[in-house]
Amino acid sequence: MNRSSIIALVILGLILAYFLSFGAEGTRKLQAGFYKVVSPFLSTGSGLKKQITSVSSGLQTLEELERDNTSLKVENRALKATNQALRDVENEVNRLRRALAYRERSVFRLVPAEIITRDSSTWWRTATINRGKTDGIEPDQPVVTDIGLVGKTTTVAENISIVLLISDENCKVACSVEGTREQGIVSGERVTGSVTPMLDLNFLSKQANLGPGPKVYTSGVGGVFPSGLLVGVVQSFRVRELDGQARVTPAVDLSRLEDVFVVTGRK
Amino acid sequence: MPKCFKRDRFVCISGFCNCFGFRISDFEFSTAMIFFVILLILTFIAQIVEIFIPPLEWMYNAHIYIVPIIVFYGAMSLPFPLVMILAFFAGFMLDALTAQVIGGRVEISLGWSILLYAVLAAIMHGLRPLFIRGRWEVHCIMSGLCTSAILLSQYLMISFRRGSLVFTREAWWQIGGPGVIAMIMAPLLFWVLHTLSQATRNPYLPDEEAYE
């Protein structure tokens, strides 16, 4: 090994040692700084992805039109395109109307946010949203939709935040089961092979004997998540050696998240 | 562009490196640097693109990773110090984008991905004699294996942190799947990068081994 290689290795080793000495706060600051730098790229990428998706769905409509009668082809294509555009606008209006209504009737102070990326790594279930410090968002704030709980913020940069989804094993939420006195901790799976992940509700009593159907709400214990947020619906129950465990389907479809709200406090 | 002009532009950087023991001629250094900077930019773009590629549902949610292939090509076609800088850049980006700070602890500390990339890139650099002999298939296979090795290491680290080691079929697919995809993508990406490398007159290519 020549001299330059040894020098390169020594410098790399020193930098590595410096980085490995970072604590949680240092890592959070550095990560927030990095996200600040890459946030324009992420926003642009998110916009491009949406455009590509809309173009591909438009092409499918054209394929359908090709099968139609040749004399009506041109007219039909124009009508369908107009109709599709109007439907997109209608969906958008309905979605925003629902979001606005939820924001107004909610007892929480909510900051609306849009999902930029989701599930960008293999082992962590996270999403990034287009709101950050400048919008009053801080780490460990709950993220919800009008349907139920989505997760909580972890690292907050200036204009972008990382949301740890409830489907991640590290996101632990104290919950209670509707119609019972049962309380437990909901967490996600470490590895999931399906688009729709399942949640585990652990530390229930062995006698809970839950059937499919009861809803699971946050209990408010722990301080991060306020009580009464819908987490999911019990699918099955099994008794383990020391406790009972229920499988819970998340209330929110985490694979199709578009708009969320960050709970910044109570009204 | 006249050779002497290029030489003037890079003589300062080269001189700086020579102070620290880098014995690289000015011209060789400048041409290697052009390809190195291109690889850095490509690594950055690939890292951003990776974020937007959805996981493959039919492969148990396995992700597609492009960055390791670029880094491993760099490991074969650049001098060792530049390989380490490239590994540092890729590892730092991966750490900065994926580090999970939950409560008061970090799941995988900043720096581990840099270490992983550096070790694997050094292994790939060690296989350079095969690359010189034109045995690309070994590097394509190694790119897949190394991609899976990164994921396996991450999985082992988080398992250690979380206190239980669980290997399900999904976990194996999410470790092995990206490796298989990387193996399939590697020949095409290597060809593109090799073309770029030749276009920028990278002196570290097999044909011009006299520069080494």
Side-chain angles (χ1 to χ4, degrees), chain A residues 34-35 38 41-42 45 117 119-122 124, chain B residues 39-53 63-71 86-99 113-114 117 150-151 154 189:
Chain A
F34 185 75
Y35 265 96
V38 297
F41 298 98
L42 293 178
T117 68
D119 275 349
S120 53
S121 64
T122 301
W124 298 277
Chain B
L39 279 189
L40 282 184
I41 294 166
L42 285 177
T43 306
F44 180 79
I45 294 169
Q47 187 67 68
I48 299 293
V49 169
E50 266 180 19
I51 292 172
F52 293 102
I53 301 174
H63 281 68
I64 296 172
Y65 290 89
I66 310 164
V67 175
I69 305 173
I70 298 173
V71 174
L86 187 63
F88 167 78
F89 184 67
F92 174 76
M93 279 207 303
L94 183 62
D95 274 342
L97 284 168
T98 59
S113 299
I114 300 171
Y117 266 114
I150 292 170
L151 288 164
Q154 284 183 336
L189 271 174

Side-chain angles (χ1 to χ4, degrees), chain A residues 1 3-5 7-9 12 15-16 19-20 22-28 30-31 34-35 38 41-43 45-46 49 116-126 140 152 154-155 162 164 168-170 190-195, chain B residues 20-23 44 48 51-52 54-55 57 60-61 63 65 80-81 84 88 92-93 95-112 114-115 118 151 154-155 158-159 162 164-166 168 170-171 174-175:
Chain A
M1 190 177 270
R3 200 173 154 193
S4 58
S5 301
I7 291 171
L9 276 179
L12 187 77
I15 296 171
L16 261 180
F19 277 135
L20 288 170
F22 273 34
E25 203 46 47
T27 305
R28 200 171 257 171
L30 194 137
Q31 199 176 20
F34 185 75
Y35 265 96
V38 297
F41 298 98
L42 293 178
S43 304
S46 175
K49 193 182 175 185
I116 300 175
T117 68
R118 76 181 134 236
D119 275 349
S120 53
S121 64
T122 301
W123 308 123
W124 298 277
R125 310 270 95 78
T126 56
D140 287 331
K152 65 173 179 177
T154 54
T155 299
I162 303 174
L164 186 68
D168 191 281
E169 195 184 18
N170 275 326
R190 190 174 304 172
V191 185
T192 176
S194 64
V195 173
Chain B
F20 288 90
F22 289 77
R23 293 208 178 119
F44 180 79
I48 299 293
I51 292 172
F52 293 102
E57 205 184 330
Y60 293 96
N61 279 355
H63 281 68
Y65 290 89
F80 189 75
M84 289 296 107
F88 167 78
F92 174 76
M93 279 207 303
D95 274 342
L97 284 168
T98 59
Q100 295 302 312
V101 187
I102 296 140
R105 69 187 181 91
V106 191
E107 186 132 63
I108 296 180
S109 301
L110 273 175
W112 280 108
I114 300 171
L115 185 66
L151 288 164
Q154 284 183 336
Y155 188 68
I158 61 167
S159 295
R162 295 179 192 181
S164 63
L165 189 61
V166 186
T168 57
E170 287 84 4
Q174 289 183 20
I175 293 164

Side-chain angles (χ1 to χ4, degrees), chain A residues 50-63:
Chain A
K50 276 181 188 165
Q51 279 181 359
I52 291 165
T53 313
S54 68
V55 165
S56 64
S57 62
L59 285 173
Q60 280 172 358
T61 315
L62 285 175
E63 275 178 6

Side-chain angles (χ1 to χ4, degrees), chain B residues 196-210:
Chain B
L196 264 175
S197 183
Q198 282 170 331
T200 55
R201 296 186 179 183
N202 177 20
Y204 218 59
L205 282 179
D207 310 354
E208 298 174 27
E209 202 53 25

